[in-house]
């Protein structure tokens, strides 16, 4: 069932709860997708996908109490697993997950006033949906290294100090002058927006960008990487 510790009351507290649950669901449907897929056995009873405030996710039975303590996510997601293409099924779960996240946020926000609810939704709406992250769709612009035909995934880019570096680098080193233009760049792991104050690294295979902290790569380690492969691409290559 959906977990709740101390009920968030302010707009900021509710948004923090929302982003934590969202991060958990994104991880379940991307980096932990094989584990998530195996847990959704159609032979089991009605199962739900939960995202918890501590950023963990869980596939389990729905709450037994009626009414539940919090709104419940879509019931029986496991039943449709084998009757659809895997990507279509994951997209469907992602859409239902977005609906559940909004319902939980506005359950907490029911006591907010009109302006506070409007601000809460605006903060939520600034983030890409789970569906957009899972399917790779972007709200506006595409990846920053795709905005020019001369910037392919195998090309090298000149940094501020004039040295040639590969894709494994700080995103803001090569795009610092165009920060506004690339503000819609999304982390392939958590779905968060680009921030010039954070270390980012680009995958040379799929060309997605990631927070260094999300893929456990430090700036020092990135300097020694000739070709960076994100966890997803590394897993795919290993299975081939």
């Amino acid at each position: 069932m959906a977990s709740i510790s101390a009920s968030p009351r302010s707009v900021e507290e509710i948004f923090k709860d929302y982003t934590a649950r969202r991060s958990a669901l994104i991880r379940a449907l991307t980096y932990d997708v094989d584990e998530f897929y195996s847990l959704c056995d159609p032979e089991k009873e009605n199962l739900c996908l939960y995202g918890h405030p501590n950023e963990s996710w869980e596939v389990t039975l729905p709450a037994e109490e009626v009414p539940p303590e919090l709104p419940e996510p879509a019931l029986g997601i496991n039943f449709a697993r084998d009757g659809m293409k895997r990507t279509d099924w994951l997209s469907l779960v992602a859409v239902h997950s977005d609906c559940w996240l909004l319902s939980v946020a506005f359950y907490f926000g029911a006591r907010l006033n009109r302006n506070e609810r409007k601000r809460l939704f605006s903060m939520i709406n600034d983030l890409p949906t789970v569906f957009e992250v899972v399917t790779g769709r972007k709200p506006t612009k595409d990846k920053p290294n795709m905005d020019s035909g001369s910037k392919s995934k195998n090309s090298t880019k000149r940094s501020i100090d004039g040295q040639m570096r590969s894709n494994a680098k700080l995103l803001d080193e090569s795009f610092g002058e165009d920060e506004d233009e690339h503000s819609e760049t999304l982390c392939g792991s958590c779905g968060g927006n680009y921030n010039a104050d954070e270390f980012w690294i680009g995958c040379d295979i799929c060309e997605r960008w990631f927070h260094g902290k999300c893929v456990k790569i430090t700036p020092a380690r990135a300097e020694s990487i000739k070709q960076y492969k994100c966890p997803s691409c590394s897993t795919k290559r290993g299975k081939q």
Side-chain angles (χ1 to χ4, degrees):
M1 60 176 290
S3 63
I4 174 174
S5 51
S7 179
R9 297 182 181 276
S10 69
V11 171
E12 288 71 23
E13 289 173 339
I14 296 172
F15 182 68
K16 181 179 179 180
D17 181 90
Y18 171 89
T19 54
R21 295 178 190 273
R22 172 181 169 277
S23 295
L25 296 177
I26 288 175
R27 183 164 295 278
L29 297 172
T30 54
Y31 289 106
D32 297 341
V33 66
D34 291 335
E35 179 185 356
F36 167 69
Y37 190 86
S38 65
L39 289 173
C40 294
D41 186 348
E43 298 300 320
K44 295 182 180 180
E45 298 183 50
N46 294 302
L47 295 176
C48 299
L49 171 61
Y50 294 91
H52 299 306
N54 63 357
E55 298 190 19
S56 66
W57 59 271
E58 180 182 20
V59 173
T60 188
L61 296 172
E64 295 183 0
E65 65 265 30
V66 178
E69 187 176 11
L70 285 177
E72 288 288 297
L75 179 67
I77 56 172
N78 52 314
F79 294 148
R81 192 195 72 176
D82 293 346
M84 304 173 64
K85 288 176 58 178
R86 175 165 163 150
T87 53
D88 292 341
W89 178 72
L90 291 173
S91 296
L92 179 63
V93 175
V95 170
H96 282 292
S97 296
D98 282 315
C99 295
W100 177 66
L101 287 172
L102 286 174
S103 68
V104 171
F106 278 81
Y107 172 84
F108 289 139
R111 292 177 177 82
L112 298 176
N113 62 41
R114 179 180 177 181
N115 290 333
E116 288 174 329
R117 289 195 304 271
K118 183 177 180 180
R119 184 159 67 91
L120 173 62
F121 181 76
S122 178
M123 294 168 69
I124 290 173
N125 204 39
D126 282 340
L127 293 174
T129 63
V130 175
F131 174 77
E132 287 170 338
V133 174
V134 170
T135 60
R137 301 187 184 188
K138 299 292 187 294
T140 51
K141 299 178 184 177
D142 205 340
K143 310 176 192 70
N145 56 337
M146 294 295 287
D147 61 358
S148 170
S150 63
K151 294 180 180 178
S152 66
K153 67 180 179 181
N154 294 319
S155 68
T156 54
K157 303 174 182 65
R158 190 170 299 277
S159 65
I160 297 172
D161 59 4
Q163 298 297 316
M164 299 304 291
R165 295 184 182 178
S166 69
N167 217 13
K169 63 185 183 317
L170 277 169
L171 182 61
D172 61 306
E173 284 184 353
S174 57
F175 298 106
E177 296 178 358
D178 304 321
E179 182 175 345
D180 292 338
E181 180 182 356
H182 305 298
S183 60
E184 295 298 334
T185 300
L186 309 177
C187 174
S189 175
C190 69
N193 287 321
Y194 167 70
N195 185 336
D197 295 328
E198 297 178 296
F199 173 70
W200 287 65
I201 187 168
C203 176
D204 286 299
I205 306 301
C206 67
E207 296 190 333
R208 290 187 298 172
W209 289 91
F210 303 84
H211 289 109
K213 62 184 180 182
C214 289
V215 290
K216 296 185 170 80
I217 299 292
T218 64
R221 184 180 173 189
E223 291 294 336
S224 64
I225 299 176
K226 293 183 178 180
Q227 184 187 57
Y228 175 68
K229 290 188 289 187
C230 69
S232 180
C233 289
S234 297
T235 301
K236 290 177 183 176
R237 287 292 176 109
K239 292 182 178 179
Q240 291 179 351

